[in-house]
Amino acid sequence: MLLAALLWTALTPLGTAVGEARFGSLAAERPVVGGEPARVADHPWVVYLTDRRGEQFCGGTLAAPDKVVTAAHCVAEQRPADVRVVAGRTDKNSGAGTVTELAGIWTHPDYGSAYGGADVAVLTLRSSLSRPTLVLADEQDDQLYRPGRTATVLGWGATSEGGVPADVLRRAEVPIRADSECSAAYGGDFVPGAMVCAGYPEGGVDSCQGDSGGPLTTGGKLVGVVSWGIGCARPGNPGVYTEVAAYADSLRARVGSRG
Ligand code: ARG
């Protein structure tokens, strides 16, 4: 996660064409500075996912005691037995919190790839967690998606484009952007009504690789799920998030009505 950051003033030319660099294939050529550590105590519903080797690979949000909302692209290729949910652990190197196995993985039936929308999944935990949950945005929550509104994104992902994942949870504040601006940036890859994008026109603050599946939150609700971008924090390339309210119906059916 890149935070409250300033881009290095003299930008070196990028070695790879922008259009090719979607999922972090690009080396870090634009150092980003700044950042803001956060604590799970202040965001008790934020969790991360680990693979068979115990490596963190995505984020998630506890939406019910035994349900985690994440991105479909995080878990579409995974078997429940190979994924764990880590809750209550700000620092990956600590033993704090709980590690829970999965009973099941549901990915949205319309999901094909992150660029097609429906990049959302619900994990069912083997045992319920006694932690606060985050309410999901729904059809009534238009105002939470108003362009210019500030939202908070959280994750343990890379702190610079092409960089390594963070050990400690980080947070950043990013403004929600108008669908028209997201479409202007990404053309047909941005699907209004399925995605929302957020970030400053000048870049500098963004989610990044490893943050996928994690929460974008405002007004006390989960409004977005980290989905994709071109590089991280580049000017003119806001981060793209699954629009949670657009999937309220199917999420309610999986998570329950209060979220
Ligand atoms: N796809 C990435 C992941 O799997 C998330 C990328 C988000 N990129 C961005 N510029 N906001 O972790």
Side-chain angles (χ1 to χ4, degrees):
M1 168 117 16
L2 309 168
L3 299 155
L6 297 167
L7 285 172
W8 201 253
T9 40
L11 297 179
T12 50
L14 295 169
T16 311
V18 163
E20 294 167 14
R22 281 172 161 168
F23 282 94
S25 51
L26 200 66
E29 300 201 60
R30 302 203 289 185
V32 179
V33 299
E36 184 174 73
R39 302 180 315 156
V40 289
D42 298 322
H43 315 277
W45 27 258
V46 66
V47 301
Y48 66 84
L49 313 185
T50 60
D51 62 17
R52 301 178 69 106
R53 296 165 312 160
E55 296 288 334
Q56 181 267 335
F57 66 94
C58 271
T61 304
L62 194 68
D66 66 339
K67 302 288 181 186
V68 167
V69 173
T70 187
H73 83 259
C74 286
V75 292
E77 310 289 312
Q78 303 270 4
R79 291 175 307 180
D82 294 336
V83 179
R84 301 276 186 283
V85 167
V86 182
R89 186 174 297 175
T90 294
D91 184 339
K92 289 173 185 172
N93 297 318
S94 81
T98 54
V99 181
T100 309
E101 295 182 1
L102 300 192
I105 296 175
W106 171 86
T107 54
H108 196 287
D110 294 342
Y111 171 76
S113 83
Y115 310 113
D119 188 11
V120 66
V122 176
L123 314 178
T124 300
L125 305 180
R126 270 202 188 286
S127 47
S128 291
L129 300 177
S130 42
R131 304 185 62 77
T133 56
L134 188 62
V135 177
L136 307 181
D138 65 22
E139 299 85 344
Q140 264 69 59
D141 286 322
D142 274 2
Q143 81 287 354
L144 300 183
Y145 293 93
R146 210 185 50 239
R149 189 181 171 111
T150 300
T152 302
V153 60
L154 290 156
W156 287 263
T159 55
S160 65
E161 186 174 320
V164 295
D167 283 335
V168 173
L169 177 65
R170 300 180 79 86
R171 62 174 281 165
E173 313 299 322
V174 281
I176 303 276
R177 303 287 293 277
D179 282 349
S180 57
E181 297 177 296
C182 311
S183 295
Y186 294 119
D189 285 342
F190 181 84
V191 183
M195 305 171 185
V196 56
C197 84
Y200 296 95
E202 67 274 24
V205 185
D206 198 6
S207 45
C208 200
Q209 271 58 43
D211 289 324
S212 278
L216 178 73
T217 172
T218 186
K221 291 189 175 186
L222 183 71
V223 295
V225 174
V226 179
S227 182
W228 61 275
I230 294 182
C232 302
R234 296 186 189 181
N237 289 132
V240 183
Y241 299 80
T242 309
E243 187 178 323
V244 169
Y247 300 98
D249 242 1
S250 48
L251 289 175
R252 258 194 305 270
R254 294 275 150 186
V255 168
S257 55
R258 208 192 165 259

